[in-house]
Amino acid sequence: MPIALRDIVVPAFGVPVEAPRIPAALYEKRCRDAYARAECDWLVVYADREHLANIAFLSGYDPRFEEALLLLGPRDKRVLLVGNEGEAYSPLAVLPGLEIALAQSLSLMGQDRSLKPDLAAVLREAGLTRGQTIGLVGWKYFDPAEWDDASPALFVPHYLVAMLAKITGGLWALQDATFVLMHPATGLRSTIDADQIALHEWGAARASAAVWRIVTGTQLGLSELEAASRMGYAGEALTAHVMYATGDSDHPVIGLRSPGGRS
């Protein structure tokens, strides 16, 4: 079979502009499924700027600068605890029946905390009380070989563990429920529905177009910063730092590095 090598033009597939929306009913189903699988009185989902995927998956809300807590309780009780800046941003959460509660301990340092300074009081107002069981969702979880202590291993800040244990009456009431969402085989997030596929494809199409603009625009003499600027970033929500790194025999390429002034 003869083989011919020739240059071809990469077809322009276009870049989608408007991001597909996850239906509110789907967020509601995800919450009900997560709550049922946790088998606790309350499912408490922790989030911050770096660890936002679980709360975004369940509610459509992603913390920008502060921490946040999503509480899922009996009789479809749903409460989103946010700080000062999160309160104004919270209308983007589209989970039906969601209550927004201000908890200023979740705010950044130096901000006013005079309205709702007591996080434990806000948790009690939401319905958490002594004798209840709580499943905590952190940003990851230990496998059995990694943790052999009788107390639960919880990837959330210590203040939250201590506060919830005090409200419910003891550490015995807490258990790790992160696997409900994040287990690679059985977790709810391991199954991707059509709406989520569409949203991921929107992001992938825009990201790949940005990478292609960098690849085709890079040339000798450009600094890493100049080359990376050709991505044409348009304000999409970022889930990772922009990475662009060059190197030679004296300076090995470190792939996770951000661009700098090196040519």
Side-chain angles (χ1 to χ4, degrees):
M1 176 187 298
I3 298 176
L5 298 178
R6 64 185 181 210
D7 293 332
I8 63 171
V9 176
V10 177
F13 296 104
V15 179
V17 176
E18 187 68 26
R21 296 183 181 275
I22 303 295
L26 183 53
Y27 285 120
E28 188 168 37
K29 181 180 184 304
R30 290 173 178 177
C31 286
R32 284 177 173 164
D33 289 346
Y35 180 77
R37 292 193 189 190
E39 298 182 336
C40 296
D41 294 310
W42 287 90
L43 186 64
V44 177
V45 184
Y46 173 83
D48 57 26
R49 177 62 261 172
E50 185 180 3
H51 310 104
L52 59 88
N54 288 323
I55 202 168
F57 177 81
L58 292 172
S59 69
Y61 178 86
D62 66 307
R64 288 298 164 116
F65 304 107
E66 305 173 328
E67 298 167 283
L69 297 173
L70 176 63
L71 314 179
L72 302 178
R75 296 175 293 280
D76 287 333
K77 182 77 170 180
R78 301 162 188 155
V79 186
L80 179 65
L81 272 60
V82 295
N84 292 326
E85 294 177 351
E87 187 177 32
Y89 183 63
S90 61
L92 291 183
V94 296
L95 175 63
L98 184 64
E99 302 173 27
I100 306 300
L102 177 64
Q104 291 177 302
S105 295
L106 303 177
S107 303
L108 298 177
M109 295 298 294
Q111 294 188 4
D112 176 62
R113 294 167 187 260
S114 60
L115 295 177
K116 285 287 186 177
D118 189 342
L119 177 57
V122 176
L123 289 168
R124 289 189 175 97
E125 289 171 7
L128 278 68
T129 188
R130 191 175 187 85
Q132 292 179 324
T133 56
I134 294 177
L136 263 172
V137 175
W139 55 85
K140 60 180 178 179
Y141 59 89
F142 278 123
D143 285 328
E146 300 174 281
W147 187 264
D148 60 0
D149 195 88
S151 62
L154 301 165
F155 275 93
V156 298
H158 175 264
Y159 76 82
L160 183 59
V161 176
M163 193 172 293
L164 291 175
K166 184 176 181 180
I167 291 173
T168 57
L171 194 59
W172 62 268
L174 310 184
Q175 68 180 45
D176 186 14
T178 311
F179 67 92
V180 168
L181 291 168
M182 298 187 66
H183 190 279
T186 61
L188 289 175
R189 287 177 52 202
S190 67
T191 300
I192 307 298
D193 50 68
D195 293 292
Q196 195 69 55
I197 289 174
L199 182 57
H200 285 337
E201 176 58 25
W202 176 86
R206 295 189 65 84
S208 61
V211 171
W212 185 242
R213 287 191 292 269
I214 294 174
V215 170
T216 56
T218 297
Q219 53 188 286
L220 290 175
L222 286 183
S223 70
E224 293 172 352
L225 286 168
E226 289 173 320
S229 69
R230 295 175 180 259
M231 71 182 294
Y233 175 59
E236 301 91 346
L238 297 178
T239 58
H241 294 291
V242 174
M243 292 165 276
Y244 186 99
T246 60
D248 53 29
S249 58
D250 296 324
H251 300 86
V253 174
I254 301 175
L256 294 179
R257 183 168 61 80
S258 298
R262 178 182 171 81
S263 297

